Amino acid sequence: MKAHKLPDLVLGALLALILTAPLPSAAGDRPQASELVRRAFDYMRGRASVSEVDMTIHRVDWQRTMTIRAWTRGMKQSLFYISAPPKDEGNGTLKDGPRMWTYNPKVNRVIKLPPSMMSQAWMGSDFSNNDLAKSDTLIEDYTHTIDEIATIGGHWVYTVTATPRPAAPVVWGMQRLKIREDGILLQEAFFDEDLEPVKTMTTYDINKIGGKPYPCRWRMQDAQDREKYTQLEYRHLEFKDDLPERIFTRAALQQPPAW
């Protein structure tokens, strides 16, 4: 069978298109890696936000779902409150800068957590306290490099590797992120001190919510066990210019703001 040859005019046009297409990897076009990471965090949190999500913790022999209401302000303040099911209702977590408190209504007690607890699992899920709060430790305690640039779905996607700064108080030996040009985080992989993969968070279902495209489903998956994961699905998301300071207090932890 004879192969069809493209006309020289078509070949020339294709070659011209390839040669003149703007490449973000070129000097001056490629963003700084640290800027990409900060952009992703700014995009995820905005100046302030109010949200409601369903968190499903999945294991091979059981599964449970909780509904969480969340308030965030900047990158350092967040309040999480479980509204369902009834047996978990009222449990909350407050983060204000490096300080964190939890509240359990059954014992009616607020407990301050040490910094080491920031990396611990939240309510038995695969998300840590830092993960849920979208803590800025990834910005402040790591250096960043761009390792790869690709196009996915018509968008430039940057693979950024984050390595800890010397003596930084962090748990992960490395993190690797895939960030879209518009700031949407597509994936975040976590590695231990031996650079072995531990877990990976992947985002799905990018739809318009909160006034802009946003991943409506987030899954944190164990690197070794496919049946061990936690999934967040957004019910509601609203970005705001600001929220009152009184929301991010221990009093609000015990008596959350009206929904």
Side-chain angles (χ1 to χ4, degrees):
M1 191 162 104
K2 217 173 184 181
H4 291 289
K5 198 172 177 185
L6 285 173
D8 290 342
L9 186 61
V10 175
L11 282 171
L14 286 173
L15 183 59
L17 181 62
I18 292 169
L19 291 176
T20 58
L23 295 175
S25 56
D29 288 330
R30 178 191 291 203
Q32 294 293 317
S34 56
E35 289 176 10
L36 279 168
V37 175
R38 183 172 291 278
R39 186 187 306 169
F41 274 70
D42 287 344
Y43 195 97
M44 286 189 290
R45 292 187 61 133
R47 292 189 180 92
S49 70
V50 178
S51 61
E52 185 175 49
V53 300
D54 285 335
M55 171 185 275
T56 300
I57 304 172
H58 179 86
R59 300 294 183 262
V60 66
D61 53 354
W62 61 270
Q63 178 173 295
R64 71 186 183 106
T65 299
M66 298 177 287
T67 299
I68 304 166
R69 293 172 180 172
W71 296 259
T72 71
R73 188 185 192 213
M75 290 192 185
K76 297 187 180 295
Q77 292 180 305
S78 58
L79 174 67
F80 300 101
Y81 166 79
I82 298 177
S83 60
K87 71 183 184 71
D88 294 315
E89 184 178 4
N91 280 277
T93 302
L94 169 69
K95 182 177 183 294
D96 187 7
R99 299 168 298 174
M100 178 172 274
W101 297 265
T102 63
Y103 173 67
N104 186 329
K106 291 178 181 176
V107 297
N108 192 28
R109 187 179 171 194
V110 175
I111 300 173
K112 186 176 182 179
L113 299 180
S116 59
M117 291 294 290
M118 291 295 292
S119 60
Q120 299 301 307
W122 189 83
M123 294 296 292
S125 73
D126 297 290
F127 284 86
S128 71
N129 293 305
N130 267 335
D131 295 331
L132 278 182
K134 301 184 178 72
S135 172
D136 58 354
T137 180
L138 184 60
I139 297 173
E140 296 180 346
D141 295 330
Y142 289 78
T143 57
H144 311 96
T145 57
I146 296 174
D147 292 334
E148 185 181 330
I149 303 173
T151 55
I152 300 176
H155 293 274
W156 291 112
V157 175
Y158 300 84
T159 299
V160 177
T161 295
T163 53
R165 297 182 186 277
V170 297
V171 172
W172 305 114
M174 182 176 71
Q175 295 185 49
R176 185 165 287 144
L177 304 93
K178 292 186 183 295
I179 303 171
R180 230 167 65 165
E181 61 191 9
D182 55 3
I184 292 179
L185 178 65
L186 300 180
Q187 192 174 83
E188 183 174 5
F190 301 82
F191 300 79
D192 64 18
E193 292 180 351
D194 297 321
L195 304 186
E196 294 294 327
V198 176
K199 61 181 184 178
T200 299
M201 183 180 71
T202 307
T203 64
Y204 305 90
D205 303 340
I206 298 173
N207 297 308
K208 192 165 186 181
I209 183 173
K212 63 184 181 183
Y214 198 88
C216 295
R217 185 162 57 95
W218 303 57
R219 177 177 288 198
M220 187 74 80
Q221 181 97 46
D222 187 273
Q224 308 303 324
D225 185 353
R226 299 294 298 174
E227 289 297 328
K228 185 180 179 184
Y229 64 83
T230 300
Q231 186 161 280
L232 300 178
E233 293 188 72
Y234 277 84
R235 288 185 171 197
H236 172 82
L237 174 62
E238 184 179 354
F239 292 102
K240 295 180 175 292
D241 290 333
D242 200 3
L243 286 172
E245 182 66 34
R246 59 180 169 76
I247 290 178
F248 306 98
T249 63
R250 279 173 281 179
L253 183 58
Q254 295 174 270
Q255 187 70 43
W259 189 254

